[in-house]
Amino acid sequence: MTSGAAAACNVILKSILDPGDEVILLAPFFAEYPFYVGNHGGRVVVVETDDDCLPEVGRIAAAITPRTRGIIINTPNNPSGRVYPAALLRELEGMLARLPSRPWSSATSPTRAWCMTAAR
């Protein structure tokens, strides 16, 4: 339990990152996320969204490397306000499930933060 999503993100990142590990951020993203990653020695990998500010699973898959330890998913997205459809999140989960070494995926909303999946 934390006092908010920022604290939860920092706790998760401190738990999973070693220096040089990567965290994928979907652009646009909350301006403080790169600082959270950097606080724990991580490296930000930015994946652009489409013209409607929706992530494309293929772009995310292409950005994953052996050093990828996490993906931060923010819906409704801050700053765009875009809500990611459930079908897109299921497609992303399916892609992650097929990876031999699955990164953490953390989803946040204004009212709660939770870890969707984890395996290392």
Side-chain angles (χ1 to χ4, degrees):
M1 178 175 290
T2 67
S3 59
C9 285
N10 273 284
V11 168
I12 291 168
L13 293 170
K14 183 176 179 70
S15 299
I16 67 170
L17 293 180
D18 288 323
D21 286 344
E22 300 170 348
V23 176
I24 294 174
L25 300 181
L26 306 174
F29 49 82
F30 180 53
E32 291 188 19
Y33 287 156
F35 298 109
Y36 300 166
V37 174
N39 285 343
H40 308 292
R43 188 175 83 74
V44 169
V45 175
V46 176
V47 173
E48 297 295 328
T49 55
D50 68 14
D51 291 339
D52 292 325
C53 293
L54 285 173
E56 294 181 11
V57 173
R59 286 184 186 174
I60 296 168
I64 294 173
T65 74
R67 296 296 311 252
T68 303
R69 294 294 179 264
I71 303 168
I72 297 179
I73 303 160
N74 182 228
T75 184
N77 178 276
N78 179 353
S80 74
R82 186 65 153 117
V83 174
Y84 301 156
L88 186 143
L89 296 174
R90 282 191 294 274
E91 181 184 358
L92 176 60
E93 176 63 17
M95 181 272 292
L96 293 172
R98 291 187 296 277
L99 294 175
S101 179
R102 196 169 170 180
W104 281 81
S105 54
S106 175
T108 64
S109 79
T111 57
R112 60 185 168 181
W114 68 98
C115 286
M116 295 176 4
T117 60
R120 221 170 161 184

